[in-house]
């Protein structure tokens, strides 16, 4: 399994990167180098990695050397937890508003997303990974940027 932290040329990706002065705007979980689980504006999605890679550039990655059995356990747990889950628009709007206040008026970012509710932002998928794979974090993942998550996970730069 590989966790990829990506960017693309869409207006939303550019806006997120501009607002936070960060190199990535999205996180996705790649299994068997063939399929991807991630959350975008359409909700939690399952995509083919080849198709996903045509639209998104991986800037950072975190590889996990898992047995096929353990990799299947991870993606099955993600699929079971997030199947048919939507995107959390209220959390995203609050996050974006906080980012703009921080960028334009130097107001510190909030530590919690008070509008986090039903649905998921891409960074929140990390919270469903098993504890034997990654440590649990003591922060609100609905107000954590993909780049902050990359740093938490110790992701490597794909450009080196």
């Amino acid at each position: 399994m590989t966790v990829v932290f990506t960017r693309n040329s869409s207006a939303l990706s550019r806006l997120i990167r501009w607002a936070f002065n960060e190199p990535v705007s999205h996180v996705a979980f790649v299994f068997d180098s063939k399929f991807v689980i991630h959350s975008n504006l359409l909700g939690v999605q399952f995509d083919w990695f080849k198709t996903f890679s045509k639209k998104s550039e991986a800037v950072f990655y975190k590889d996990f050397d898992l047995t096929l059995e353990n990799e299947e356990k991870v993606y099955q747990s993600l699929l079971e937890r997030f199947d048919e889950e939507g995107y959390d628009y209220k959390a995203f709007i609050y996050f974006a508003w906080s980012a703009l206040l921080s960028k334009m008026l130097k107001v510190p970012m909030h530590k919690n997303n008070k509008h986090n509710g039903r649905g998921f932002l891409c960074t929140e998928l990390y919270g469903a990974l098993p504890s034997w794979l990654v440590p649990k974090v003591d922060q609100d993942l609905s107000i954590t940027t993909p780049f902050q998550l990359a740093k938490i996970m110790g992701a490597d730069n794909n450009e080196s």
Side-chain angles (χ1 to χ4, degrees):
M1 179 183 91
T2 302
V3 181
V4 292
F5 300 87
T6 66
R7 64 182 171 213
N8 62 47
S9 61
S10 73
L12 183 57
S13 176
R14 287 183 296 192
L15 181 64
I16 291 168
R17 289 182 280 129
W18 170 82
F20 293 104
N21 295 317
E22 295 179 349
V24 295
S25 59
H26 192 61
V27 60
F29 301 83
V30 183
F31 295 90
D32 195 27
S33 300
K34 297 207 177 359
F35 68 91
V36 176
I37 298 173
H38 65 117
S39 182
N40 61 22
L41 295 175
L42 300 175
V44 178
Q45 302 287 305
F46 173 94
D47 288 316
W48 295 109
F49 183 58
K50 185 176 178 181
T51 303
F52 179 83
S53 296
K54 288 178 184 175
K55 300 176 206 159
S56 298
E57 173 192 3
V59 179
F60 298 97
Y61 63 93
K62 176 68 176 177
D63 283 319
F64 292 90
D65 187 20
L66 301 176
T67 64
L68 189 57
E69 181 181 334
N70 281 340
E71 189 166 299
E72 185 170 340
K73 285 179 185 176
V74 174
Y75 79 72
Q76 288 291 344
S77 70
L78 288 172
L79 290 175
E80 287 171 15
R81 173 66 182 92
F82 298 112
D83 184 30
E84 297 186 10
E85 287 290 347
Y87 194 71
D88 192 344
Y89 290 102
K90 288 181 182 178
F92 179 74
I93 291 167
Y94 182 79
F95 192 22
W97 177 249
S98 296
L100 288 175
L101 289 176
S102 178
K103 177 91 172 177
M104 306 302 267
L105 302 175
K106 307 299 182 213
V107 174
M109 282 290 296
H110 294 110
K111 299 229 184 279
N112 292 12
N113 189 327
K114 67 181 181 180
H115 291 287
N116 186 23
R118 188 161 168 81
F120 296 91
L121 304 182
C122 64
T123 51
E124 290 182 284
L125 300 185
Y126 175 91
L129 296 175
S131 59
W132 54 263
L133 181 64
V134 296
K136 295 301 175 193
V137 294
D138 189 28
Q139 68 186 65
D140 185 348
L141 292 169
S142 70
I143 202 148
T144 300
T145 68
F147 186 59
Q148 290 167 336
L149 185 58
K151 292 193 289 186
I152 289 167
M153 294 184 74
D156 296 315
N157 190 321
N158 201 31
E159 296 175 338
S160 43

